[in-house]
Amino acid sequence: MKRLLRNVMAGLSWPSVALAADTPAGGSLWFGLLLPLIAVCAALVAWLWWLRKGQALRGSGGPLKVVQALAVGARERVVVVDAQERRLVLGVTAQRVELIAELRRDDNAK
């Protein structure tokens, strides 16, 4: 048992010797390291594209839709929002959002 433990510890202390003995000489070492790196980068790009595409699909069909936004100051805006068959006029500042008015159905057509 002590001999096995000693061999394991020796193997851990010299990983470069073990790696050099297992890998073939020449450019295949670079190919063996570069190919998985390219595969991981391609998978990351595909995952990020999928997340962005999913956000765009989810955002367009949601219950809230900004119809129009008008800046009235540096950080102040008046925003018209459609929310579940209602049209709301909101005042938006850096500190809060306040309901200004709720428009009637006949106002929405104009």
Side-chain angles (χ1 to χ4, degrees), residues 21-81:
D22 292 343
T23 58
S28 61
L29 172 66
W30 286 105
F31 183 72
L33 293 175
L34 196 58
L35 188 63
L37 180 65
I38 291 171
V40 168
C41 289
L44 180 64
V45 167
W47 179 66
L48 290 173
W49 175 82
W50 179 77
L51 279 177
R52 184 173 179 184
K53 189 77 166 173
Q55 290 291 341
L57 291 177
R58 220 174 302 129
S60 64
L64 293 177
K65 181 181 171 189
V66 176
V67 177
Q68 189 174 7
L70 176 67
V72 293
R75 292 185 172 182
E76 297 81 17
R77 301 198 183 292
V78 175
V79 181
V80 179
V81 177

Side-chain angles (χ1 to χ4, degrees), residues 87-99:
R87 184 161 282 189
L88 306 172
V89 180
L90 305 173
V92 180
T93 66
Q95 288 80 25
R96 65 178 164 176
V97 177
E98 190 170 330
L99 178 66

Side-chain angles (χ1 to χ4, degrees), residues 67 80-89 101-110:
V67 177
V80 179
V81 177
D82 281 342
Q84 296 180 350
E85 304 297 323
R86 296 169 39 188
R87 184 161 282 189
L88 306 172
V89 180
E102 182 173 347
L103 301 177
R104 296 187 310 255
R105 284 296 224 178
D106 55 352
D107 290 342
N108 292 344
K110 293 181 182 177

